[in-house]
Amino acid sequence: MEMVKLFINGKEVEVPSGTTILKAAEQEGINVPQLCYMEGLSSAGACRLCVVEVKGVRALVASCATAVRPGMEVQTHSPNVMQARRAILELLIANHPLDCLTCEKLGECKLAEYCYEYGVKESPYKGEKHSYPVETSNPFIVRDMNKCILCGKCVRVCDEITGQNVLDFTYRGFNSKPSPFYDDELVESNCVFCGQCVAVCPTGALTEKQMQRKGRRWELERVKTTCPFCGTGCNFDLLVKDDQIVGVASNPTSPVNGYALCIKGRFGWDYVHSEKRIKTPLIKKNGQFVPASWDEALDLIAVKFKEMKKKYGPDSFAALSSARCTNEENYLLQKFTRAVMGTNNIDHCART
Amino acid sequence: MLIGTNTTEAHPVIGYKMRQAARRGAKLIVVDPRRIDLAEEADYWLQIRPGTDIPFVNGLMHIIIKEELYDKEFVKTRTENFQALADTVKNYTPGYVSTLTGISEEDLYTVARLYATTDRAMLFYTLGITEHVCGTHNVMNIANLAMLTGHIGRAGVGVNPIRGQNNVQGACDMGALPNVYSGYQRVIDKAARKKFEKAWKVSLPDKNGLMIPEMFEKANSGEIKTMYIFGENPVLTDPNSNHIRSGLDKLEFLVVQDLFLTETAEYADVILPGSSFAEKDGTFTNTERRVQRVRKAIEPIPGRADWQTIIALSAKMGYPMRYESPEEIWMEMASLTPSMAGITYERLEEKGIQWPCPNSEHPGTPFLHAGTFIRGKGLFQAIDHIPPAEMPDEEYPFLLSTGRVLQHYNVTTPYSAGIQSMWSEEFSELNPENAAALGVETGDMIKVTSRRGTITTRIKVTDRVPPGMLWMSFHYAASPANVITSDAYDPITKTGEYKVAAVKIEKI
């Protein structure tokens, strides 16, 4: 692989040819702000926040979309760059509701994070503001286009990862926004509710409906686990507060799926807290299920299992194990069936 | 090449990757009676008649052998019994195969040449291949095709069955099967049995147990008296549910352990509350044999996790099992299972490990059959057409096929309030031609009857399905497809023929 030498903030850096300035800077541990860039998606160069100064080049360049060249001299945080970034942020918030007090995304909002970092409190640009109605017509995704900064990540992720191509930019200029065909709501579109767009949205424009007012992002404990639905084996983080699951977040370190999930993995977890869950053992008495203590239920089962085994022999017993449960539980149930009940009558739904 | 897998709906994230590959220029061949989403992305969509997979694959092999496009070196060094295969597929001329499958001769030629001459060609299938009376033979024939063309045992090729459930691979690996202990060590093998007897300090039965359909046959006949059903709902998910219900009814004692009061749990004498994946530590093994961690996020809602319940019951039965954590269970299993001996929870932290992983230095195995097959040489099986057990006739003129839809996962997601609020009832698919003749429109209710029973369902009129077919999911208790599915089984695996049954349709 051909290597290229360049200078970033005065320090000599060597990276493979074709690397972007952004990646080269990140490799050196330099934090370059970015709203529209994401690893794994094509570069749009839309937000301009990642601009850097390159010696001999008159305009600032978007580091996410510019490849390194030999001998290039790059400044990532020069006064010119800092001023430009502040101006960009001022322009972005000129038409962005500053209702951070109640915004769902606060804590994970990249716009708020950079405004804090660059000391941008309000915009000197006073002009027209959007007043789109907030879309809440589906059970999974809240769309508040007033908060959209047109980074286009939702459009790219829908095209490049899910391949559903539901979202694209509609209208022009000030009225431009990402939306389904005909500017319909998501429920009217071919949206498969994978939620990839929500996972990559850097602002409060797209948020999870199930998580509304369930907790601030920094209050949520993240527990990485494996999806309980199909056999793909996606990983994600369960977001937990006060012993309750409040949502699912993509975990990009997942070996199988990266950011990607489907409707079931991202939004189907709420069966865990369904009111229909059985919470205590139940014993059938006169055709009715009656709540019982664990000891009472397990004692009854043990007596019955022993009695039946004695009366009819071990092979009168059969166990169905579960392709939904863990390896450890499946191992235990086959051990129980074989070692305790004395039969090999154990199977599960692999065949049915 | 995808045969009998609706990947974007049943395994969405794998479906995304297939779609991405197709858009990057990979050739995509979709073989499916339905015009599934990936048919839209495909270079070739072959609308095969249900139950004709064997003649289809034989037809491809006929062309590949006749045109000498097969991998002669691979066939010579890695396989045996080639001549028997060649003799059988000789009869499957493109003309004959086209008549049986409904696929044009031209498409057969194009696809056979494309698959055989592409260096890195992958085959994928799911239950569209296995849920037939000839399921085992379908799978063996797909293996024939991969071996014939040398498309096995290296990266980017292979026979890829996509496993349906989060841990169906793991449940098999752990020995939740009537003929094997963990790691597929046979219960009839004396040495294996002795090893487990020594570890478990108990004498073990020496003959194979019953498979699920046999269990329910024997429950019906009165030979099985007691059952312990852990995390399954056979009333909704197994074929011919009336037969399952009558079997459960005849049991003298039934224990069901589940999250919900399911249709199956209704029959129980005692119900033990189960714990969900979020309430326990452990591992799942995915379709690529990757063992990955499941981590406890909340306390078990009924007070104890399933593994604790099984241990408590075992203690009451006079056989205490001493494990403080799922990790200790894993370590015992791994110590008795050569193919997993090198896997520890610590090693799973980052990216999981694909078994076989025989020791602590082994990195795991991303693909199988490199260099050699388990039996040594790959054995070609000459396989002739086996038609479905029940085909449409005058009385039952429609072919019923079943599967999953994107928004639901078997019988769990109806308990998700969000999903249920948008997709709360069945919409069976019926072709416009048939709908017009029956005088029904999208949203209408119909009555569907087979030789096993009758159900009602709403319909969606769509040309996703060919004329003569009714397609249903099996997610909804109000339209339980498995009341009417076939009771025919693959004789080897006892897998039901969910994909083909004969039904009649009446407007309500």
Side-chain angles (χ1 to χ4, degrees), chain B residues 228-432:
Chain B
Y228 182 2
I229 299 182
F230 170 53
E232 295 221 349
N233 185 1
V235 168
L236 275 196
T237 61
D238 287 20
N240 192 6
S241 29
N242 290 336
H243 179 73
I244 305 289
R245 283 180 186 273
S246 65
L248 293 173
D249 220 16
K250 288 209 174 87
L251 293 173
E252 284 193 27
F253 191 66
L254 171 64
V255 177
V256 171
Q257 187 164 331
D258 211 306
L259 303 182
F260 301 106
L261 217 162
T262 63
E263 292 72 12
T264 300
E266 296 282 357
Y267 289 85
D269 295 283
V270 182
I271 301 176
L272 296 172
S275 52
S276 78
F277 79 113
E279 294 153 52
K280 54 199 177 192
D281 283 307
T283 54
F284 291 155
T285 307
N286 80 348
T287 188
E288 47 174 11
R289 302 180 316 284
R290 188 188 298 270
V291 183
Q292 301 190 102
R293 278 298 315 278
V294 175
R295 293 181 184 86
K296 182 176 155 186
I298 57 172
E299 289 302 316
I301 286 176
R304 55 177 85 180
D306 294 306
W307 61 274
Q308 295 168 311
T309 303
I310 299 169
I311 291 171
L313 177 61
S314 193
K316 300 249 186 213
M317 296 283 295
Y319 186 85
M321 300 180 179
R322 303 187 200 286
Y323 309 102
E324 293 298 317
S325 67
E327 187 171 6
E328 291 183 12
I329 304 169
W330 177 272
M331 292 315 290
E332 174 184 308
M333 185 283 303
S335 73
L336 293 165
T337 312
S339 57
M340 318 242 179
I343 304 180
T344 60
Y345 272 27
E346 196 185 345
R347 291 190 71 198
L348 293 177
E349 273 304 311
E350 291 281 308
K351 297 193 173 301
I353 294 180
Q354 289 169 278
W355 69 262
C357 177
N359 60 61
S360 56
E361 275 76 48
H362 195 283
T365 310
F367 56 86
L368 299 173
H369 315 306
T372 182
F373 292 102
I374 289 163
R375 73 179 290 279
K377 287 195 170 185
L379 181 64
F380 282 115
Q381 304 276 349
I383 297 166
D384 268 308
H385 182 34
I386 304 164
E390 181 182 81
M391 285 298 276
D393 54 23
E394 234 168 75
E395 196 185 353
Y396 297 97
F398 285 91
L399 187 148
L400 172 77
S401 197
T402 63
R404 273 185 203 161
V405 301
L406 169 68
Q407 296 82 6
H408 276 296
Y409 178 81
N410 295 9
V411 292
T412 307
T413 44
Y415 294 100
S416 158
I419 288 174
Q420 189 66 4
S421 72
M422 272 182 79
W423 297 278
S424 60
E425 59 182 335
E426 177 71 35
F427 278 86
S428 308
E429 297 176 355
L430 187 65
N431 187 276

Side-chain angles (χ1 to χ4, degrees), chain A residues 133-333:
Chain A
V134 177
E135 180 182 319
T136 58
S137 54
N138 73 76
F140 311 113
I141 300 170
V142 175
R143 280 178 81 225
D144 182 353
M145 286 300 102
N146 302 301
K147 293 182 177 170
C148 176
I149 56 165
L150 303 176
C151 72
K153 275 205 269 191
C154 58
V155 173
R156 279 175 285 145
V157 83
C158 193
D159 172 27
E160 296 170 21
I161 302 296
T162 308
Q164 198 67 13
N165 301 82
V166 167
L167 295 173
D168 205 341
F169 288 105
T170 49
Y171 308 108
R172 283 167 171 265
F174 180 73
N175 294 321
S176 184
K177 64 172 180 176
S179 72
F181 188 65
Y182 255 121
D183 197 11
D184 271 340
E185 300 200 330
L186 290 173
V187 280
E188 301 295 329
S189 75
N190 284 331
C191 177
V192 291
F193 296 100
C194 66
Q196 255 76 272
C197 54
V198 184
V200 302
C201 179
T203 72
L206 299 171
T207 52
E208 297 88 347
K209 193 169 186 183
Q210 291 162 320
M211 291 174 65
Q212 305 287 313
R213 302 185 63 206
K214 291 283 166 61
R216 283 303 190 182
R217 303 273 163 160
W218 57 83
E219 298 176 312
L220 308 179
E221 186 196 348
R222 297 174 81 113
V223 181
K224 188 179 179 186
T225 193
T226 304
C227 182
F229 294 114
C230 80
T232 304
C234 298
N235 288 174
F236 51 64
D237 287 349
L238 283 171
L239 304 177
V240 183
K241 190 188 169 196
D242 300 334
D243 207 32
Q244 294 271 315
I245 300 168
V246 299
V248 156
S250 292
N251 183 324
T253 67
S254 306
V256 172
N257 58 302
Y259 272 92
L261 289 172
C262 77
I263 178 173
K264 290 165 273 200
R266 196 182 298 278
F267 300 117
W269 54 267
D270 59 343
Y271 75 89
V272 169
H273 293 298
S274 164
E275 286 175 6
K276 292 180 182 161
R277 283 285 298 271
I278 307 169
K279 298 194 174 81
T280 67
L282 301 169
I283 296 174
K284 198 180 262 169
K285 291 177 181 162
N286 303 319
Q288 297 290 319
F289 286 114
V290 180
S293 71
W294 278 100
D295 269 338
E296 201 183 338
L298 292 173
D299 282 336
L300 174 61
I301 296 169
V303 166
K304 282 286 189 181
F305 277 6
K306 278 193 246 179
E307 181 190 314
M308 301 294 225
K309 184 179 168 184
K310 200 172 168 194
K311 194 167 162 192
Y312 300 112
D315 289 333
S316 67
F317 173 86
L320 287 194
S321 198
S322 178
R324 310 300 309 285
C325 291
T326 63
N327 284 324
E328 292 73 8
E329 288 157 350
N330 276 286
Y331 176 79
L332 278 193
L333 193 62

